[in-house]
Amino acid sequence: MKRMVKAVYLGTVYLFLYLPLAVLTIYSFNDAKHVVTWKGFTTRWYVKLAENSVLLDAAVNSLLLAAASATAATIIGTLAAIALKRYRFTGRTILSTSMYVVMMSPDIVMGISLLMLFVLMGLPLGFTTLFLSHVTFCLPFVTVTVLARLTGLDGNLAEAAMDLGAREFEVFSRIILPLAMPGVLAGWLLSFTLSLDDVIISFFVTGPTFEILPLKIYSMVRLGVKPEVNALCAVMFGVTLAVVSLTQLCFKERK
Amino acid sequence: MEHALPCIELEHVSKHFGDQSVLRDIHLTINHGEFLTFLGPSGCGKTTILRLLAGFERPSTGRLRIGGVDVTDLPPHRRAVNTVFQNYALFPHMTVFDNVAFGLRMRRTPAKVIDAEVFSALRMVKMETHHARRPSQLSGGQQQRVAIARAVVNKPLVLLLDEPLSALDYKLRKAMQIELKELRRTLGITFVFVTHDQEEAFSMSDRVAVMNEGVIEQIDSPSAIYEKPVNLFVARFVGEINTFEGRVLSRNGTSMQALVEGEQVRLSLGGNGNGGGAHCPEGGSPASCGSLSAGSPIKVLLRPEDVRLERAAPGDAGGLTGSIVDTVYKGMTIDLIIEMSGGKKILATEFFNEDAPEALFSVGERVRVGWVEDWEVVLPDEGSQSL
Ligand SMILES: Nc1ncnc2c1ncn2[C@@H]1O[C@H](COP(=O)(O)OP(=O)(O)OP(=O)(O)O)[C@@H](O)[C@H]1O
Ligand SMILES: [Mg+2]
């Protein structure tokens, strides 16, 4: 009886989580345009996708942007977290509070204010503005993730290292950074996903020179969902699944 | 000979955090090879002193010298001291070997030397077989040993230990106390130890500094601290003690007559030649010296085990008397609670005499309260000294 309940419970959870994705994947193999009824198996949407250079370019752009902004946000955010944890300085509370403010702000507010800023600065909209915006909204998430990791550590470790003759840089490179690493990696992955995901902020700060995938799809589906988009989404889901499984495996082995 | 050389000197050191004064004008010399323990209640500033010595904090005023070098302005990595932290603070991402090797690597010691030194340090604490483990795979006692090895492998002038045994269970703590004493004999370096456990302080140290609210109340050998406390705080902090109020009647040479609990008694002033019970060791508060003259209010302190009891004869008058109100069996000893004629309750500890069980007192018996002459401690009554 208990096992039954458990199975039903788990089944419901998985159904909620994966039913939409399963439907999408199945229909990416449906041999019909527009129609939601099953017309037989085909892989032609995948072939079409492979030929659609506009869509693929946008995908590559998105990945590039996500990788670049996640890396930048991770570097800046990690340093900020370490500074917040390790040093007492004026403006410390302001810095940590402002992190939360950025995290909590609605995307639409962020998007409009960033757009205004870039226009005032005279920056042409494109990769640069997208990059700066993505770094901005990813950074607090990295800081919070790394900070959580650092807070869980014994406060005397840095002092123990100094006591044993380590200078400030060695304390950082040999003690704090290695210990913060799981948080840093998690922060990077989170930033990468957030950047890849973002529609609203990107919508405001993007320019015609640099098209990214979410916006491209968004503009495409306004004319109805094309099966190619289904195929693309299925591919992206597959990639995500692979990446997540890989990181899980990596973390398990390190323990 | 080397013992006479000062290793650590604190000159009028004080420390404030904001407007809170945590250490006040600490003036102290610790000799080479000495085992000195700071003993005091929570929050009295023990850890702060160690942190000043290690270099994690800067004194607000005063100077610090270690091995003759003024280190007041030197960062931790340039001081010849190493610390054993209360929670060990082992690096969780390194093996035991790498933990112990860390200090040597920071000093760019050649790899070959590191190998030999690390293993010799690990052997000293009997942890050489665990060199490849992570700290998380060790028990508390084993982590403690690694922490000690990690500190001593650097051959510091001074080893600072902040309550290193407080996280261990009773038996292990006892064993580690003995090991630490042995280690100190082998290494011959100065140990500065912090604890709030009086027994631990007494069993390990050459000298104990009893602290209270940022000042050192008394610094002396364990026996002097116990037998000749300079004030009520010290007397009460290190074990049970009975306190009587009194007043000096007359003073002559080596003794004085005093009125204690309404009875006239003779108090000894002989002892170590500087005022008997009310002696004044170095650093003792000046109020406790020489200020006792006819009429001064005094406190007479008596350890429970120094109390001597006699059965009082029915017609007896004079002297301190009381009656037994309770007895507490303690195995080796028996505690007697005595209510004095004036209503005050005191504690006396008697050794169990298996051969003469009838010699034991029973509840309700009237007794005369005395003490071994010269073992009482007489302090001027400073009024404000009540706890
Ligand atoms: N960094 C700090 N900032 C502010 N106050 C501090 C700081 N460090 C210590 N204090 C204060 O200084 C006082 C003494 O602290 P300390 O840690 O030296 O006590 P302790 O004798 O080691 O006590 P315990 O036995 O509880 O460890 C305490 O009142 C504490 O609150
Ligand atoms: Mg402390």
Side-chain angles (χ1 to χ4, degrees), chain A residues 36-97:
Chain A
V36 282
T37 45
W38 186 254
K39 290 275 173 72
F41 181 85
T42 180
T43 52
R44 72 179 158 115
W45 304 123
Y46 286 86
V47 177
K48 247 192 136 177
L49 173 67
E51 288 162 356
N52 188 339
S53 63
V54 178
L55 211 50
L56 286 183
D57 280 353
V60 170
N61 279 350
S62 263
L63 289 174
L64 262 175
L65 175 67
S69 51
T71 307
T74 302
I75 293 169
I76 304 172
T78 302
L79 292 177
I82 290 173
L84 281 172
K85 181 80 190 121
R86 219 163 130 50
Y87 305 106
R88 301 276 164 269
F89 50 90
T90 39
R92 187 174 165 275
T93 351
I94 298 176
L95 180 59
S96 71
T97 316

Side-chain angles (χ1 to χ4, degrees), chain B residues 121-137:
Chain B
L122 284 175
R123 254 194 304 279
M124 195 155 57
V125 294
K126 305 183 193 84
M127 287 294 294
E128 69 273 23
T129 52
H130 294 70
H131 65 91
R133 296 234 193 138
R134 292 284 169 109
S136 57
Q137 298 167 314

Side-chain angles (χ1 to χ4, degrees), chain A residues 19-36:
Chain A
L19 185 63
L21 291 164
V23 169
L24 175 125
T25 312
I26 292 165
Y27 275 87
S28 72
F29 293 105
N30 189 9
D31 195 3
K33 233 177 184 169
H34 307 308
V35 192
V36 282

Side-chain angles (χ1 to χ4, degrees), chain B residues 41-48 51 86 162-163 194-196:
Chain B
S42 190
C44 69
K46 306 180 296 287
T47 299
T48 307
R51 291 175 59 82
Q86 176 171 359
D162 190 356
E163 310 205 24
V194 160
T195 182
H196 55 246

Side-chain angles (χ1 to χ4, degrees), chain B residues 224-245:
Chain B
I225 299 259
Y226 191 73
E227 288 159 17
K228 305 282 179 203
V230 295
N231 58 35
L232 268 183
F233 175 82
V234 176
R236 286 185 178 154
F237 193 74
V238 295
E240 291 280 349
I241 200 154
N242 297 304
T243 331
F244 302 96
E245 271 88 42

Side-chain angles (χ1 to χ4, degrees), chain A residues 86-139:
Chain A
R86 219 163 130 50
Y87 305 106
R88 301 276 164 269
F89 50 90
T90 39
R92 187 174 165 275
T93 351
I94 298 176
L95 180 59
S96 71
T97 316
S98 62
M99 292 281 172
Y100 285 99
V101 171
V102 171
M103 261 167 74
M104 299 296 191
S105 314
D107 281 359
I108 195 117
V109 176
M110 285 278 292
I112 293 174
S113 48
L114 282 165
L115 175 63
M116 276 182 67
L117 178 72
F118 295 140
V119 169
L120 283 176
M121 284 167 64
L123 270 180
L125 298 181
F127 175 78
T128 320
T129 51
L130 277 169
F131 172 75
L132 290 175
S133 313
H134 284 213
V135 171
T136 307
F137 72 73
C138 290
L139 195 144

Side-chain angles (χ1 to χ4, degrees), chain A residues 13 65 72 95 98 105 119-120 124 126 128 145 148 157 159 199 201 211-213 231 244:
Chain A
V13 170
L65 175 67
L95 180 59
S98 62
S105 314
V119 169
L120 283 176
T128 320
T145 318
L157 290 175
E159 284 181 348
V199 176
I201 296 175
E211 269 195 303
I212 56 169
L213 195 61
V244 170

